[in-house]
Amino acid sequence: MEAGAYERFEEKKLDPEWLKAFKEEGERKKAAKEKQPDERIEESVSATIQATVRSVRVHSKVSFLNLSDGSLAGDSTIQAVLRNSVTLKEAEGKILSPGAAVRLTGKLQASRGKGQQLDFVINSGSVVAGCDAARHPFLSTSFEPSTSLARKNAHLRTQIPSFAATLRLRARLEAAMASYLDGKGYTQVRPPIMTSSDCEGGGEVFQVVEPKSKKDKDMASAGTAATPTYLTVSSQLHLEALMLGLGRVYTFTPAFRAEDSATNRHLREFWMCEVEMPTMSDSAASELQEVIVIAEESIKAGARAALGIASGNEEAQVARQDAQYLYAGVEGKRLDDLERYIDQPWARMTYGDAIETLQRHHVGNNGSSTPPPAWGHDLSSEQERFLAEQVAQGPVFVTDYPAHLKPFYMREGEDAEGRRIARCFDLLVPGLGELVGGSLREDNIAVLKRKQQEAKGNRDDRAEALSSSSALNAWYVDSLRSSGMPPHGGFGIGMERLVAWLANRESVRDVSAFPRVGRSSAAAISEAGARWQY
Amino acid sequence: MEAGAYERFEEKKLDPEWLKAFKEEGERKKAAKEKQPDERIEESVSATIQATVRSVRVHSKVSFLNLSDGSLAGDSTIQAVLRNSVTLKEAEGKILSPGAAVRLTGKLQASRGKGQQLDFVINSGSVVAGCDAARHPFLSTSFEPSTSLARKNAHLRTQIPSFAATLRLRARLEAAMASYLDGKGYTQVRPPIMTSSDCEGGGEVFQVVEPKSKKDKDMASAGTAATPTYLTVSSQLHLEALMLGLGRVYTFTPAFRAEDSATNRHLREFWMCEVEMPTMSDSAASELQEVIVIAEESIKAGARAALGIASGNEEAQVARQDAQYLYAGVEGKRLDDLERYIDQPWARMTYGDAIETLQRHHVGNNGSSTPPPAWGHDLSSEQERFLAEQVAQGPVFVTDYPAHLKPFYMREGEDAEGRRIARCFDLLVPGLGELVGGSLREDNIAVLKRKQQEAKGNRDDRAEALSSSSALNAWYVDSLRSSGMPPHGGFGIGMERLVAWLANRESVRDVSAFPRVGRSSAAAISEAGARWQY
């Protein structure tokens, strides 16, 4: 057990005096030990800690309690020694057992056992919260339930070491990405969640209404009758407006899709890191590279912190332990692969070259009715993974998709063969497929309106009505585009996908605190016995 | 104009070479000037910059363009010199005028004018985006429109220097609060936005539905028929679940209230910083202080960064300039007051003492039907401000409100007079009133269920149905409270209120990027001529 753990515990007591004393004592003893290496060092600094009991081993003279509190990396615990002469205070419903929370006063002492540097020897203490073994779904698995059992009990999942490690990894990732962007002069902003604009034009939006009450018998729209209100599917349109005056902007924000997909990559509610920035190169290709560089660098900066690569400070060491725990027992050295990806420059490839490559390798879409690779068709998930895993052998930015495959707001261009393309990119990564989508934005009012017209017929009438609505055109197309808006572009990163990829989790459902899935998935879970409604 | 501005501009070109050359050149010339103070120093480093033209002054031989790009503090600009011998490239709709965006190549040179250290002398350039003067609502006001005109055109507001400065202040505030909490061992988490639980029990929730489409004719609930889905009013209940295994947690997250309030303090969609933490003192009063300390310290850490107090680094200087700009021309030295508040320890006072004090001062609720101060009644906004402004002369934590005024999840206790109180606090601040609400949480299952029963009748039937729903009881009350959940507490900070308070803004509508107000306010704005639907 590392000293850091005690420091984290101690902070809960908000008592810097103890921490200082412990550090000084440690330094003094370390110096003494260097002088006389054979002498046994007795630690004797007092502390009060509060933690969950993960297991209890009862011996003839003493019991050993393994403790954790969410601040220790991986599945590491503190061992507390409870001599028979010491009795913890208990009460009705607060009995010492695995899963109970205890508050203990005692002292640090050099361990007599193997593999642990320090024990916590208890002088006194009490059980502050009991755990009902008959009720707790994870207790019989020693807090290591199956993925399926874990997903059915989302409110208890942070008690599972691998889930807690995943959420800590996620927090480190997000903080480091924000820090990278702050350092590059980006301003974090908060675009709206409720909106009247459907950015992607896919029509997969949730609508927001005011519910019935005694006072108000009718189900009323949260907007006015003329302007129904939806949950945002992407904050990009609003970010463009914020970019207008602020320059470089970004946000971490929730997004929503009323899809019924039951895959490992889809949630109805998820978080995105979205970035919007002015570009200032002389060619569209170079402008797109300006955007791609920020996507690549921000993800790499986040990944380094999340995996505890980079500096050897204490924080990075804890991050490292969490990451290693998440990959423990995994064959094929996936953590090494990830580190290699983070070190290497990420490849660039046009959609046209990607199609040719796939044709050369005869990569169709096994067992589905999708035609073999051909210019003009979207890439299948299998094809995306082939490009990353087999061709690029790492993350790859695929640029310049056919214009008709992409939303109306992406800037239009022509490739060398004169085909209409979008100045866009998808980032494809091994083992996952699409992780990021980005593009330059169309600034030409006439082109934007033509593309909205062309998009008609590709969609159901509702989606079309949304994306070509006069409301959206008024502010997003006509007003913004005639107000000195500089050339610009941006991208959106699906945070749950990125976390799942980095943390070696099978599904986005295993990295979201309270995942919301489509009705098919929900029904499947419900049939399998889930009781909870969050 | 400070050199930092050019560096920020330059970063947009992603060209570190130029930046390095400029810095070295600057150092060399500074050294030369120290040796020979009278010699005129000619700056001559080349650069390409992109920015918005805020104004154009035409003289006989040259024109002066004042430029800004969102990275300069306050309303400061860069002055670019356009000699008559140089012509900028223009195109249809891209004419040099105020509001247009230009891309310029040139060099830095010692200014011949007063008050500016450096000019940017243009060698060549082009107008990359025009501004239609007939359409732009702020142009006739030189980007300084009235608050009312600004609010009516939310998508253009970042072009207003005071609004851009407010959003930058907000970003600095949030980053510093997150950094403070990270440093104290808190993990940032992402609780759900869509939920079946109504935390506050007020019934002011938006409902989420799946809209009609060709494929699906019926308006369907986003959940199942049995479990309608709402937008969260507070993430606290879910944060408690995340605290269970992770210990200290926090989030910056949107929250929603279907209120129709048209005050300067209410939005239907807003952001909160919410914190949840285990507590480990021996008395409830001390536990509450553990929570209060984190609220006080996190806000102070954020405010210091937001106002550019603290260290004298370059970042803090820019923050300082923004803050001073936001308070320019304000009488009564409000910025000095704020700094004094941030330096002083914040007062604590029980609700009981607060009522006695208000009675002594005869502070009623002017012009309303609310009775004069008496134990058991909620504090009016006027009374809250009196306590902060007149009694504490600074922010004050008022603790231990009568239990029946507060939600069912707050831990119950008794005061010295044996009255039933909630172990809670509100933070009241001068000029605003309530900014933060927090409490210890009730861990006793029987007490939680009794309080839910008692709350019946105080509310309309819908709210009651929500908060005492068996769904909420199943996971939040029964399961969490029998799973070793340690004693804990937390709080929520209304971020828009905090930003408005720090940035000297009249209303939360002036700090939210796209504020969503109740139907009454929306109708008022609409009648006054707003056209936009975001």
Side-chain angles (χ1 to χ4, degrees):
Chain A
M1 196 220 79
E2 70 278 59
Y6 282 99
E7 293 173 20
R8 295 288 288 278
F9 266 74
E10 185 48 28
E11 278 188 339
K12 291 189 179 159
K13 196 64 194 301
L14 301 170
D15 182 356
E17 287 309 306
W18 181 87
L19 181 58
K20 190 159 157 272
F22 175 60
K23 280 185 172 162
E24 285 170 2
E25 186 78 359
E27 289 301 316
R28 200 180 59 70
K29 292 196 168 149
K30 195 176 151 202
K33 187 147 194 168
E34 274 162 13
K35 279 188 196 160
Q36 295 180 284
D38 296 333
E39 196 190 5
R40 182 164 180 82
I41 303 300
E42 290 288 336
E43 299 278 351
S44 63
V45 180
S46 295
T48 298
I49 64 179
Q50 182 170 289
T52 300
V53 178
R54 300 199 81 87
S55 65
V56 182
R57 280 173 298 134
V58 181
H59 292 254
S60 59
K61 290 183 182 171
V62 296
S63 297
F64 295 102
L65 315 180
N66 277 309
L67 306 176
S68 80
D69 80 330
S71 72
L72 302 175
D75 62 349
S76 58
T77 55
I78 292 178
Q79 179 167 279
V81 180
L82 181 63
R83 288 164 302 196
N84 286 359
S85 55
V86 176
T87 306
L88 299 187
K89 263 186 248 169
E90 298 182 324
E92 193 195 333
K94 297 179 179 178
I95 306 298
L96 180 63
S97 73
V102 290
R103 186 180 299 162
L104 307 171
T105 299
K107 55 186 183 178
L108 296 171
Q109 196 165 287
S111 174
R112 281 153 210 271
K114 295 172 205 161
Q116 303 218 33
Q117 287 190 290
L118 296 173
D119 281 343
F120 186 81
V121 180
I122 301 166
N123 284 335
S124 65
S126 58
V127 178
V128 292
C131 181
D132 184 340
R135 257 185 179 154
H136 199 298
F138 304 154
L139 214 52
S140 62
T141 70
S142 299
F143 298 103
E144 294 286 4
S146 67
T147 302
S148 157
L149 183 60
R151 285 181 190 165
K152 281 179 207 156
N153 296 280
H155 65 294
L156 299 172
R157 279 198 296 179
T158 53
Q159 291 190 321
I160 306 168
S162 60
F163 189 71
T166 300
L167 293 197
R168 285 191 298 266
L169 179 151
R170 179 174 183 164
R172 290 175 193 124
L173 170 74
E174 294 181 2
M177 290 173 70
S179 175
Y180 167 83
L181 291 166
D182 289 343
K184 288 283 179 188
Y186 288 80
T187 300
Q188 172 145 220
V189 291
R190 302 296 187 186
I193 310 302
M194 293 198 277
T195 175
S196 300
S197 315
D198 176 15
C199 172
E200 299 296 321
E204 290 158 339
V205 290
F206 289 108
Q207 191 167 350
V208 180
V209 298
E210 295 188 43
K212 289 173 202 166
S213 74
K214 265 187 184 165
K215 294 170 206 154
D216 186 355
K217 291 287 180 197
D218 301 318
M219 183 85 82
S221 166
T224 63
T227 54
T229 301
Y230 307 102
L231 294 183
T232 184
V233 295
S234 158
S235 297
Q236 180 208 311
L237 306 184
H238 298 91
L239 282 182
E240 289 185 59
L242 296 170
M243 184 280 309
L244 176 64
L246 282 172
R248 305 176 149 196
V249 294
Y250 75 100
T251 187
F252 284 86
T253 196
F256 306 83
R257 303 272 164 98
E259 300 175 310
D260 203 19
S261 309
T263 79
N264 283 337
R265 307 192 310 150
H266 291 87
L267 291 169
R268 309 192 105 193
E269 173 180 331
F270 56 101
W271 283 73
M272 292 180 87
C273 172
E274 295 191 75
V275 170
E276 199 70 28
M277 57 190 277
T279 51
M280 53 184 292
S281 302
D282 291 332
S283 73
S286 300
E287 283 181 83
L288 192 62
Q289 289 304 319
E290 290 181 48
V291 180
I292 286 177
V293 164
I294 299 297
E296 178 171 346
E297 293 291 319
S298 60
I299 294 170
K300 284 180 171 176
R304 280 191 200 99
L307 301 179
I309 309 172
S311 72
N313 64 23
E314 195 193 323
E315 217 174 316
Q317 283 173 25
V318 178
R320 189 75 193 149
Q321 289 173 37
D322 267 338
Q324 283 169 337
Y325 174 69
L326 289 168
Y327 284 86
V330 177
E331 288 183 26
K333 297 185 179 175
R334 274 214 52 213
L335 187 53
D336 291 349
D337 286 342
L338 267 189
E339 291 185 17
R340 188 165 46 75
Y341 299 153
I342 293 165
D343 281 339
Q344 75 192 23
W346 290 355
R348 275 83 162 145
M349 172 187 287
T350 65
Y351 165 89
D353 289 344
I355 292 293
E356 280 179 27
T357 305
L358 291 169
Q359 286 169 338
R360 253 196 332 273
H361 288 88
H362 306 287
V363 183
N365 192 359
N366 277 348
S368 90
S369 56
T370 309
W375 209 95
H377 294 278
D378 225 337
L379 299 177
S380 71
S381 187
E382 185 206 357
Q383 292 167 345
E384 289 178 341
R385 290 183 53 172
F386 182 85
L387 291 170
E389 292 163 15
Q390 303 299 320
V391 180
Q393 301 191 11
V396 54
F397 291 97
V398 177
T399 63
D400 304 342
Y401 284 68
H404 72 271
L405 294 179
K406 294 293 181 181
F408 78 103
Y409 57 74
M410 291 192 175
R411 199 190 299 174
E412 198 173 81
E414 274 189 7
D415 69 6
E417 283 76 38
R419 295 173 294 206
R420 279 193 2 194
I421 55 161
R423 299 293 188 186
C424 70
F425 68 89
D426 281 359
L427 174 63
L428 313 179
V429 302
L432 174 71
E434 187 202 337
L435 179 62
V436 184
S439 79
L440 303 180
R441 315 309 188 187
E442 183 61 66
D443 286 323
N444 186 305
I445 292 175
V447 173
L448 278 167
K449 291 188 174 173
R450 169 172 60 75
K451 293 183 76 174
Q452 287 181 330
Q453 286 299 318
E454 288 171 359
K456 275 192 190 179
N458 291 348
R459 305 178 192 137
D460 72 29
D461 53 0
R462 155 162 204 81
E464 180 271 315
L466 272 172
S467 70
S468 69
S469 73
S470 58
L472 180 60
N473 277 343
W475 71 269
Y476 178 75
V477 179
D478 290 324
S479 181
L480 279 184
R481 265 69 189 171
S482 60
S483 297
M485 179 176 247
H488 62 288
F491 58 87
I493 304 172
M495 291 307 297
E496 283 81 2
R497 289 187 184 181
L498 178 54
V499 176
W501 187 58
L502 292 172
N504 191 34
R505 298 299 96 184
E506 180 187 329
S507 166
V508 288
R509 277 170 278 177
D510 303 323
V511 310
S512 169
F514 290 89
R516 186 165 286 272
V517 293
R519 274 173 289 176
S520 330
S521 301
I525 292 173
S526 186
E527 276 166 25
R531 292 170 299 154
W532 317 107
Q533 291 156 9
Y534 303 110
Chain B
M1 196 220 80
E2 71 275 57
Y6 282 99
E7 294 172 21
R8 295 288 288 278
F9 265 74
E10 187 47 29
E11 276 187 342
K12 290 187 179 161
K13 196 65 193 304
L14 301 170
D15 181 357
E17 287 310 306
W18 181 88
L19 181 58
K20 189 159 157 271
F22 175 62
K23 280 186 173 161
E24 284 170 3
E25 186 75 0
E27 289 301 316
R28 201 180 58 72
K29 292 196 167 148
K30 195 175 150 202
K33 188 148 191 166
E34 274 164 13
K35 278 186 194 156
Q36 296 178 283
D38 295 333
E39 197 189 4
R40 182 165 179 81
I41 302 299
E42 290 288 333
E43 298 277 351
S44 63
V45 181
S46 296
T48 298
I49 64 178
Q50 183 169 287
T52 300
V53 179
R54 300 200 80 88
S55 64
V56 182
R57 281 173 298 133
V58 181
H59 292 254
S60 58
K61 292 182 182 170
V62 296
S63 297
F64 295 102
L65 315 180
N66 277 309
L67 306 176
S68 79
D69 81 330
S71 73
L72 303 174
D75 62 349
S76 57
T77 55
I78 292 177
Q79 178 167 281
V81 180
L82 181 63
R83 288 165 301 195
N84 287 0
S85 54
V86 176
T87 307
L88 298 187
K89 265 186 248 168
E90 298 181 325
E92 194 196 332
K94 296 179 179 177
I95 307 298
L96 181 62
S97 73
V102 291
R103 187 181 298 161
L104 307 171
T105 300
K107 55 185 182 178
L108 297 172
Q109 195 165 288
S111 174
R112 280 154 212 272
K114 295 172 205 161
Q116 303 218 34
Q117 286 191 287
L118 296 172
D119 282 341
F120 186 80
V121 181
I122 301 166
N123 285 334
S124 66
S126 58
V127 178
V128 293
C131 181
D132 184 341
R135 255 183 180 156
H136 199 299
F138 305 155
L139 215 53
S140 62
T141 70
S142 299
F143 299 103
E144 294 286 5
S146 67
T147 303
S148 158
L149 183 59
R151 285 181 189 166
K152 281 178 205 157
N153 296 280
H155 64 294
L156 298 172
R157 278 198 297 179
T158 53
Q159 292 191 319
I160 305 168
S162 60
F163 189 71
T166 300
L167 292 197
R168 285 192 298 265
L169 180 150
R170 180 174 181 164
R172 291 176 192 123
L173 170 74
E174 294 181 2
M177 289 173 69
S179 175
Y180 168 83
L181 291 166
D182 289 344
K184 288 284 179 188
Y186 287 79
T187 300
Q188 172 144 220
V189 291
R190 302 297 189 185
I193 311 301
M194 292 198 278
T195 175
S196 299
S197 314
D198 175 16
C199 172
E200 299 296 320
E204 290 158 339
V205 290
F206 289 108
Q207 191 167 351
V208 181
V209 299
E210 295 187 44
K212 289 172 202 167
S213 74
K214 266 185 181 163
K215 294 170 206 154
D216 187 355
K217 291 287 181 198
D218 301 318
M219 183 83 84
S221 167
T224 64
T227 54
T229 301
Y230 307 102
L231 294 183
T232 184
V233 295
S234 158
S235 296
Q236 181 208 310
L237 306 184
H238 298 92
L239 282 182
E240 288 185 60
L242 296 170
M243 184 281 309
L244 176 64
L246 282 172
R248 304 176 151 198
V249 294
Y250 75 100
T251 187
F252 284 87
T253 197
F256 306 84
R257 304 273 164 98
E259 300 176 309
D260 203 19
S261 309
T263 79
N264 283 338
R265 308 194 309 151
H266 291 87
L267 291 170
R268 308 191 105 192
E269 172 179 332
F270 55 100
W271 283 72
M272 292 180 87
C273 172
E274 296 191 73
V275 171
E276 200 70 29
M277 58 190 276
T279 50
M280 54 184 290
S281 302
D282 290 332
S283 74
S286 300
E287 282 181 83
L288 192 62
Q289 288 304 321
E290 290 181 48
V291 180
I292 286 177
V293 164
I294 299 298
E296 178 171 345
E297 294 291 319
S298 60
I299 293 171
K300 284 180 170 176
R304 280 191 199 99
L307 301 178
I309 310 172
S311 72
N313 63 23
E314 195 193 322
E315 218 174 317
Q317 283 172 26
V318 178
R320 189 75 193 149
Q321 288 172 38
D322 267 339
Q324 283 169 338
Y325 175 69
L326 289 168
Y327 284 87
V330 177
E331 287 183 25
K333 297 186 178 176
R334 275 213 51 213
L335 187 53
D336 291 349
D337 285 342
L338 266 189
E339 290 185 17
R340 187 165 47 74
Y341 300 153
I342 293 165
D343 281 340
Q344 75 193 21
W346 290 354
R348 276 83 162 145
M349 172 188 288
T350 64
Y351 166 90
D353 288 345
I355 291 293
E356 280 180 26
T357 304
L358 291 169
Q359 285 169 338
R360 248 191 341 267
H361 289 87
H362 306 288
V363 183
N365 192 0
N366 276 349
S368 90
S369 57
T370 310
W375 209 96
H377 294 278
D378 226 336
L379 299 179
S380 71
S381 187
E382 186 207 355
Q383 291 166 344
E384 289 178 342
R385 290 184 52 174
F386 182 86
L387 291 170
E389 292 163 16
Q390 304 300 320
V391 180
Q393 301 191 12
V396 54
F397 290 98
V398 177
T399 62
D400 304 342
Y401 283 69
H404 71 273
L405 294 178
K406 294 293 181 181
F408 78 102
Y409 56 73
M410 292 192 175
R411 199 190 299 173
E412 199 173 79
E414 273 188 9
D415 70 6
E417 282 75 40
R419 295 174 292 205
R420 276 192 5 192
I421 55 162
R423 299 293 187 186
C424 69
F425 68 89
D426 281 359
L427 174 63
L428 313 179
V429 301
L432 175 71
E434 187 201 338
L435 179 62
V436 184
S439 78
L440 303 179
R441 315 309 187 187
E442 184 62 65
D443 286 322
N444 186 306
I445 292 175
V447 173
L448 279 167
K449 292 189 175 175
R450 169 172 60 74
K451 292 183 78 176
Q452 288 182 331
Q453 287 298 318
E454 288 171 358
K456 273 192 194 181
N458 290 349
R459 305 179 192 136
D460 71 29
D461 53 0
R462 151 160 207 82
E464 181 271 315
L466 272 171
S467 71
S468 68
S469 74
S470 58
L472 179 60
N473 277 343
W475 71 269
Y476 178 76
V477 178
D478 289 326
S479 182
L480 279 183
R481 266 68 189 171
S482 60
S483 298
M485 179 177 248
H488 62 287
F491 57 88
I493 303 171
M495 291 307 297
E496 283 82 2
R497 289 187 184 181
L498 178 54
V499 176
W501 186 58
L502 291 172
N504 191 34
R505 298 300 95 184
E506 180 188 328
S507 165
V508 288
R509 277 171 279 177
D510 303 322
V511 310
S512 169
F514 291 89
R516 189 165 282 275
V517 293
R519 274 173 288 177
S520 332
S521 301
I525 291 173
S526 186
E527 276 166 27
R531 292 171 298 154
W532 317 108
Q533 291 157 8
Y534 303 109

